[in-house]
Amino acid sequence: MSSFAAPAADRPSAMAGDTPHRVAFLVYDGVTLLDVAGPAEVFTEANRFGADYQVVLLSPTGEDVTSNLGFRVAVDAAVSAEPAAGTYVVAGSSLYPRTPVPGELADAARVPAAGAGRVASICTGAFILAAAGLLDGRRATTHWKVTHELAARCPTCRVEPDAIYVRDGTTYTSAGVTAGIDLALALVEEDHGSDVARDVARALVVYMQRSGGQSQFSAPLQGPPPRSSALRKITDLVTADPQGNHSPGELAKHLNVSTRHLTRLFHDELSTTPARYVENIRFDMGRALLDQGHTATQAAALAGFPSYESMRRVFARKLSISPAAYQRRFGTARRANAG
């Protein structure tokens, strides 16, 4: 079994400065390795540019843990044995969106958080913060796939599904695994200013601040099918032929109902309007076509948008980037490597 630990040379000792800023990561069996390694790399890299972070890895019992990749993670100490951290970071795992968070793990987040200067979670680490009661009444985010589950488990928490990271007072939450790097850079900037954070971003060859939100990384919209067969007939029609005339009036004719009644059906079952549903289907189709290598103009026409400009406006509203920028960032590797 392989092992992972921050190199000793990269861990400043308590004597490295007058008051080193302790960054403690809570790790446990099944922890996502990148949730730890990515942000830890940001903090240790920042030390090369004048910061003074002391990164330590803690587990509930002080015993080494096994990551999601099967690597052994060498732990510095038990949570209870360590002094208060300046920043306490709870890494995520694929386990806890699927199962309840054990009480001892929730305690391992709750108790140190009380003395920490700030508390952060990476990806699904938000579920551990929620189980510890640390997200009650707060804004938060997590990976886009499980934002609904987080909202269900923490009903007093206002989940922001499209955010890369969210700050609410001294509590920080971030989205999917690499968003932990974004959050760590933001914390470095908060501590040492934009110049140091920019130097770290350049050294690690990552964005200083990514444009847009999680939507640009998510899979196409695949909500639950409508309960009623009548509305399912309409959604199937739109999905099968996004280029068709799907104005609310035309869709209502397929069911022999009024536009007002159709709008009510969409609102009650899908929490949207007919026009917005059609737009979402066309957006998903356009994005898939861009991924396949079609030009933006071709994608707009094939997806059923009246014009490229109309598709551009939808992309700008949903992703905060243009179709061309989206394609440069996420276009198929086959196309990029052709020849």
Side-chain angles (χ1 to χ4, degrees):
M1 187 184 303
S2 301
S3 64
F4 164 83
D10 290 337
R11 293 185 180 186
S13 69
M15 301 301 293
D18 293 333
T19 53
H21 184 116
R22 292 174 62 78
V23 181
F25 284 81
L26 174 62
V27 298
Y28 46 90
D29 285 334
V31 69
T32 299
L33 190 61
L34 188 55
D35 284 6
V36 181
E41 186 72 26
V42 171
F43 291 117
T44 54
E45 185 70 21
N47 289 339
R48 295 181 53 235
F49 300 99
D52 189 12
Y53 291 110
Q54 182 181 29
V55 176
V56 296
L57 305 183
L58 311 178
S59 68
T61 64
E63 296 179 356
D64 292 350
V65 301
T66 302
S67 76
N68 64 315
L69 300 181
F71 298 154
R72 184 176 64 84
V73 178
V75 169
D76 294 293
V79 167
S80 59
E82 284 293 297
T87 301
Y88 192 60
V89 183
V90 179
S93 168
S94 62
L95 299 173
Y96 297 119
R98 295 186 278 114
T99 61
V101 175
E104 59 271 20
L105 188 53
D107 290 342
R110 182 188 306 108
V111 176
R118 60 193 178 198
V119 178
S121 66
I122 310 300
C123 196
T124 55
F127 284 81
I128 299 174
L129 293 190
L134 298 174
L135 297 185
D136 290 346
R138 295 187 181 276
R139 296 163 47 245
T141 193
T142 187
H143 193 285
W144 60 268
K145 283 186 176 181
V146 291
T147 51
H148 290 299
E149 178 65 22
L150 180 62
R153 292 201 195 183
C154 186
T156 66
C157 174
R158 196 171 87 218
V159 178
E160 299 188 3
D162 201 41
I164 297 295
Y165 63 84
V166 170
R167 174 185 179 181
D168 190 325
T170 58
T171 301
Y172 301 72
T173 52
S174 65
V177 283
T178 57
I181 294 174
D182 297 80
L183 175 55
L185 283 169
L187 295 177
V188 169
E189 182 176 13
E190 186 176 290
D191 294 339
H192 297 284
S194 59
D195 287 344
V196 171
R198 191 173 296 109
D199 286 339
V200 173
R202 285 198 190 104
L204 299 180
V205 197
V206 296
Y207 285 106
M208 173 72 169
Q209 181 177 4
R210 282 186 281 183
S211 61
Q214 291 194 69
S215 296
Q216 58 186 286
F217 307 102
S218 64
L221 178 68
Q222 292 292 340
R227 295 186 303 273
S228 70
S229 59
L231 193 54
R232 194 174 304 120
K233 174 182 177 181
I234 295 299
T235 58
D236 288 347
L237 175 68
V238 174
T239 303
D241 181 24
Q243 298 176 354
N245 180 0
H246 298 317
S247 67
E250 286 299 314
L251 292 176
K253 290 179 182 178
H254 287 281
L255 298 183
N256 197 27
V257 298
S258 67
T259 301
R260 188 172 184 178
H261 181 70
L262 181 70
T263 300
R264 188 180 304 115
L265 286 175
F266 268 88
H267 179 270
D268 291 347
E269 295 200 35
L270 299 177
S271 300
T272 190
T273 65
R276 184 54 55 88
Y277 182 86
V278 172
E279 179 184 273
N280 286 340
I281 293 297
R282 287 173 174 167
F283 166 73
D284 285 341
M285 178 67 75
R287 183 162 60 168
L289 289 164
L290 290 172
D291 290 342
Q292 294 166 17
H294 292 274
T295 68
T297 302
Q298 290 170 337
L302 292 171
F305 285 99
S307 65
Y308 165 76
E309 180 60 27
S310 64
M311 184 172 80
R312 189 196 65 77
R313 287 195 297 268
V314 173
F315 267 70
R317 186 175 70 250
K318 289 180 174 290
L319 303 182
S320 300
I321 56 176
S322 69
Y326 172 87
Q327 189 171 50
R328 285 194 299 271
R329 191 171 298 177
F330 300 105
T332 174
R334 289 192 302 273
R335 180 172 54 84
N337 295 324

